[in-house]
């Protein structure tokens, strides 16, 4: 059964093309996104006032959806400020500096640890843990902060989240939509997840090393070291060396206890992130009281202010583009109203269904189509909202082809999550970008070639497995 496409669908698709074009040209997309929101609202409601209000309401919706991420990033940055100001960060990093001696070791160590932690607790808390403990060590041995962010993205939001072997949230959604046992989808996804992961991370590492050798991308070692040394000079004597050593030991222990608590209490996603964020708050308070004593009341507030200033500065450019893409899913009804066709599943999902019905059916076309459908549904930035559609389309293709349902389902799932779960869509990869202090749009551009190569190779492999 087809789906009715109306003017709203074509306007949305046109503005997606504009946004991608502007990103490729390294132009800011905020104005394009605002124009897209206004036009969608105007066409839907036929009201100028409703269109103007729709722009503002879309911003409120985007901020509401992003607020937990903004909050945890701001808190982690606040904690990092007090660690740097007291010199604890330097003491805490020194063991890792001895272990991580080269940028290559830093890249693969951060990536593999990120993947393992993300399998158990999903990537958001893993990003916070990696940023607090390993990022400074990686930067000091010459790995650019952008390289660290790529490792976090590709291994955590890419490999771990697209397979989701432990928590099984993603395969459960796609399996239910495809009418398959979840075990079948997981089994089919294993070779595809690891092909995608190996190709993408190796390609990214090769391009990273090439640009470092050619001087187009340099490590932030000197800059970070200078900033740290300057901070230490200004705050010399805030804490005794013994106190620094004990606190440098206590902080990783507290975060390790968080990991244990996540495992035994079965905390996942937002709950796990909240535990990490709450721990960071208490670490900030404890160190501030020990270092600043009677001035700690004011200093705690100052550290929070610095963290929130950083968080909103980083997220400011992202809110307009997130607001536009949220209109592609459930956000449309909540922001503008119920103006889509009666059978619509959201603009993005409707476009995916229309694509699936517009192509011929065989193994090769089926694999390519599932990759494209998955990638399109990932454009809303969650990675999860459209994977049920990927499962449904996979079922439709499998019936026509005569098999391969589990492989097609897994392929659609992988494409949707790699694109929308935090490696290509700028607001989805904000956590890693913010923790590493890099531009999310530059990180998205850096990830584009490795992810595109990975999807192409994985799609070809899937053709032989169907």
């Amino acid at each position: 059964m087809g789906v009715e496409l109306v003017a709203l669908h074509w306007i949305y698709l046109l503005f997606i093309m504009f946004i991608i074009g502007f990103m490729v040209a390294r132009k800011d997309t905020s104005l394009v996104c605002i124009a897209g929101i206004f036009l969608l609202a105007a066409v839907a409601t036929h009201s100028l006032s409703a269109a103007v209000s729709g722009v503002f309401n879309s911003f409120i919706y985007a901020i509401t959806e992003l607020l937990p991420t903004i909050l945890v990033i701001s808190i982690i940055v606040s904690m990092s400020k007090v660690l740097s100001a007291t010199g604890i960060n330097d003491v805490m990093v020194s063991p890792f500096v001895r272990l991580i001696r080269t940028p290559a070791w830093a890249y693969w160590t951060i990536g593999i640890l990120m993947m393992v932690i993300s399998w158990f607790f999903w990537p958001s808390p893993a990003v916070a843990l990696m940023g607090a403990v390993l990022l400074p060590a990686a930067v000091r041995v010459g790995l650019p902060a952008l390289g660290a962010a790529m490792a976090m993205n590709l291994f955590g939001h890419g490999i771990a989240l697209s397979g989701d072997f432990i928590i099984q949230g993603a395969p459960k959604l796609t399996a239910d939509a495809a009418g398959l046992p979840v075990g079948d989808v997981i089994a089919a996804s294993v070779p595809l997840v690891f092909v995608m992961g190996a190709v993408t991370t190796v390609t990214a590492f090769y391009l990273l090393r090439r640009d470092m050798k050619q001087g187009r991308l340099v490590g932030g070692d000197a800059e970070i070291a200078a900033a740290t040394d300057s901070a230490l000079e200004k705050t010399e004597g805030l804490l005794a060396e013994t106190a620094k050593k004990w606190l440098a030991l206590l902080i990783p222990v507290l975060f390790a206890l968080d990991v244990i608590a996540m495992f035994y209490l079965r905390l996942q996603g937002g709950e796990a992130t909240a535990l990490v964020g709450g721990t960071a708050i208490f670490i900030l308070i404890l160190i501030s009281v020990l270092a600043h004593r009677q001035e700690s009341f004011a200093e705690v507030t100052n550290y929070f202010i610095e963290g929130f200033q950083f968080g909103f500065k980083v997220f400011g450019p992202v809110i307009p583009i997130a607001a536009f893409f949220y209109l592609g899913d459930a956000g449309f009804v909540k922001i503008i109203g119920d103006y889509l066709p009666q059978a619509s599943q959201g603009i993005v999902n409707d476009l995916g269904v229309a694509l699936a019905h517009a192509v011929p059916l065989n193994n090769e076309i089926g694999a390519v189509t599932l990759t494209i459908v998955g990638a399109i549904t990932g454009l809303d930035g969650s990675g999860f909202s459209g994977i049920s559609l990927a499962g449904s389309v996979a079922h439709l293709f499998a019936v026509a082809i005569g098999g391969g349902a589990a492989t097609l389902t897994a392929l659609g799932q992988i494409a949707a999550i790699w694109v929308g779960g935090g490696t290509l869509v700028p607001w989805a990869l904000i956590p890693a970008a913010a923790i590493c202090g890099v531009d999310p749009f530059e990180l998205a551009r850096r990830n584009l070639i490795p992810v595109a190569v990975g999807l192409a190779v994985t799609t070809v492999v899937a053709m032989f497995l169907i």
Side-chain angles (χ1 to χ4, degrees), residues 265-290:
L265 300 177
R266 299 178 182 272
L267 302 179
Q268 301 164 2
E271 292 178 330
T273 302
L275 181 61
V276 172
T279 302
I281 290 173
F282 282 104
I283 289 171
L284 185 155
I285 293 171
L286 172 64
I287 297 173
S288 296
V289 169
L290 292 175

Side-chain angles (χ1 to χ4, degrees), residues 82 85-87 231 234-240 244 290-293 303:
V82 74
T86 55
K234 292 178 183 177
T235 58
E236 190 175 358
L238 282 177
L239 287 172
K244 291 181 188 178
L290 292 175
H292 299 288
R293 299 176 180 85
Y303 287 124

Side-chain angles (χ1 to χ4, degrees), residues 27 32-33 44 56-57 68 85 106 147 151 193 209-210 259-260 286 292 309 322 342 361 368 376 397 414 421 437:
K27 301 291 185 182
V32 179
C33 292
F56 183 76
N57 289 333
V193 167
R209 288 296 297 270
R210 183 200 66 185
V259 173
I260 294 170
L286 172 64
H292 299 288
Q309 284 176 335
Q342 189 173 1
L361 302 179
V368 171
I376 289 174
F397 272 60
I414 289 167

Side-chain angles (χ1 to χ4, degrees), residues 25-396:
R26 297 176 179 265
K27 301 291 185 182
D28 191 84
T29 59
S30 295
L31 189 58
V32 179
C33 292
I34 293 170
I37 296 166
F38 177 83
L39 187 57
L40 285 168
V43 171
T45 64
H46 303 289
S47 166
L48 179 62
S49 62
V52 173
S53 299
V55 173
F56 183 76
N57 289 333
S58 70
F59 276 40
I60 292 176
Y61 184 87
I63 292 171
T64 303
E65 292 292 313
L66 293 171
L67 192 57
T69 304
I70 298 173
L71 184 61
V72 73
I73 295 301
S74 299
I75 288 168
I76 290 293
V77 170
S78 298
M79 182 194 72
S80 299
K81 295 286 185 183
V82 74
L83 293 181
S84 296
T86 55
I88 295 171
N89 191 59
D90 219 36
V91 178
M92 198 167 74
V93 162
S94 57
F96 295 104
V97 172
R98 287 194 290 269
L99 290 173
I100 302 175
R101 295 183 179 276
T102 66
W105 272 103
Y107 175 88
W108 294 107
T109 300
I110 287 177
I112 291 170
L113 286 175
M114 179 78 187
M115 179 180 67
V116 172
I117 296 173
S118 298
W119 268 333
F120 288 92
F121 311 114
W122 282 7
S124 295
V127 166
L129 290 170
M130 291 294 99
V133 179
L134 285 186
L135 176 63
V139 173
R140 280 189 172 275
V141 297
L143 180 68
L146 192 59
M150 289 172 67
M152 291 181 189
N153 268 168
L154 300 177
F155 283 89
H157 294 88
I159 299 174
L161 195 58
S162 67
D164 198 11
F165 301 134
I166 308 298
I167 299 171
Q168 298 183 4
K172 180 72 166 62
L173 288 172
T174 47
D176 287 351
L180 298 169
V182 68
D184 289 0
V185 175
I186 292 175
S189 72
V190 171
L192 299 180
V193 167
F194 285 105
V195 167
M196 180 71 188
V199 171
T200 305
T201 55
V202 170
T203 303
F205 181 70
Y206 167 78
L207 295 175
L208 184 69
R209 288 296 297 270
R210 183 200 66 185
D211 288 349
M212 288 175 67
K213 287 179 179 178
Q214 294 177 355
R216 286 186 285 185
L217 190 64
V218 295
D221 184 27
E223 183 181 349
I224 295 293
T228 303
D229 292 343
S230 174
L232 290 174
E233 288 171 11
K234 292 178 183 177
T235 58
E236 190 175 358
L238 282 177
L239 287 172
E241 287 301 318
T242 303
K244 291 181 188 178
K245 290 178 181 178
W246 278 108
L247 289 168
L249 177 64
L250 176 65
I251 292 164
V253 168
L254 290 175
F255 282 124
L257 291 174
D258 279 354
V259 173
I260 294 170
M262 290 174 201
F263 182 79
Y264 282 104
L265 300 177
R266 299 178 182 272
L267 302 179
Q268 301 164 2
E271 292 178 330
T273 302
L275 181 61
V276 172
T279 302
I281 290 173
F282 282 104
I283 289 171
L284 185 155
I285 293 171
L286 172 64
I287 297 173
S288 296
V289 169
L290 292 175
H292 299 288
R293 299 176 180 85
Q294 60 265 36
E295 286 102 28
S296 60
F297 292 97
E299 291 299 328
V300 167
T301 302
N302 288 335
Y303 287 124
F304 278 127
I305 289 172
E306 287 189 73
F308 280 105
Q309 284 176 335
F310 177 87
F312 279 93
K313 181 179 179 181
V314 168
F315 276 85
V318 176
I319 289 168
I321 189 171
F324 173 80
F325 276 97
Y326 280 134
L327 292 177
D329 194 39
F332 189 95
V333 174
K334 294 180 181 178
I335 295 166
I336 297 176
D338 192 6
Y339 293 97
L340 292 171
Q342 189 173 1
S344 173
Q345 300 177 23
I347 292 176
V348 167
N349 286 350
D350 291 348
L351 290 170
V353 170
L355 174 65
H357 284 276
V359 296
L361 302 179
N362 57 47
N363 286 16
E364 291 74 20
I365 295 296
V368 171
T369 304
L370 258 297
T371 298
I372 295 173
V373 167
I376 289 174
T377 61
L379 288 174
D380 68 349
S382 77
F384 275 71
S385 65
I387 57 176
S388 293
L389 170 66
S392 299
V393 174
H395 175 70
L396 180 139

Side-chain angles (χ1 to χ4, degrees), residues 438-465:
V438 300
D439 179 6
F441 295 95
E442 181 61 29
L443 178 56
R445 282 190 287 266
R446 273 268 156 192
N447 287 341
L448 179 59
I449 292 177
V451 172
V453 172
L455 285 173
V457 174
T458 305
T459 302
V460 172
V461 171
M463 293 175 186
F464 291 97
L465 296 177

